[in-house]
Amino acid sequence: MEATAKLKKLPISARKIGLLAALIRGKSVAMSLAILQNKPQQAAVQLRKLLLSAISNWQNSHATSLAEEPIFVKRITVDRAGMLKRIMPAPRGVAHRIRKRSSHVVIVVDSAASVADVPHEVVSSTKT
């Protein structure tokens, strides 16, 4: 049985998070945590927290520990969220628009037996 964790309205663009999500998709939880620990991006910190939350959700719904049954990142989706629109004054009376993008992230973790049955698909919509 899988466990999910959601992070909504993260104030980082979906493109930046999608790059890190591609690194951990389909990997074991221990390897994913190690990858995110060594990345300098702020998005890596947020993804690591979300992954730890998904692991905790999995442990709460299962009686076994991580040592007995290894779990993997089954699916991770990164979608666009709302956008803050601001205006910055520019020379000659022109105004430039500033778009502060945000995103929604969903991580699904599951045991190794369940992950082997499902092919790893690329699930990410990083439209700009």
Side-chain angles (χ1 to χ4, degrees):
M1 187 171 144
E2 59 188 30
T4 64
K6 297 178 182 180
L7 180 60
K8 294 187 175 185
K9 295 185 180 179
L10 178 64
I12 301 172
S13 71
R15 177 180 275 181
K16 292 177 185 178
I17 297 174
L19 293 172
L20 290 173
L23 291 175
I24 65 171
R25 186 176 287 121
K27 294 197 169 60
S28 69
V29 168
M31 184 178 287
S32 299
L33 288 173
I35 289 171
L36 293 175
Q37 180 75 33
N38 293 315
K39 289 293 177 181
Q41 293 93 340
Q42 178 63 27
V45 174
Q46 299 296 326
L47 276 180
R48 187 171 188 279
K49 283 181 172 180
L50 186 64
L51 183 58
L52 289 173
S53 176
I55 294 167
S56 177
N57 293 342
W58 188 86
Q59 287 176 337
N60 288 337
S61 64
H62 293 76
T64 60
S65 68
L66 290 176
E68 296 172 10
E69 187 176 359
I71 60 174
F72 289 80
V73 177
K74 183 176 181 180
R75 185 173 61 240
I76 179 167
T77 60
V78 179
D79 296 320
R80 293 187 314 176
M83 194 182 324
L84 287 174
K85 295 178 181 175
R86 300 288 182 257
I87 293 177
M88 176 181 276
R92 305 174 81 186
V94 179
H96 291 173
R97 179 159 283 189
I98 297 173
R99 292 181 289 274
K100 298 186 178 193
R101 302 174 193 274
S102 58
S103 57
H104 300 310
V105 183
V106 178
I107 292 182
V108 179
V109 295
D110 206 353
S111 62
S114 301
V115 174
D117 299 338
V118 179
H120 301 295
E121 70 275 357
V122 176
V123 181
S124 177
S125 62
T126 56
K127 298 175 185 173
T128 56

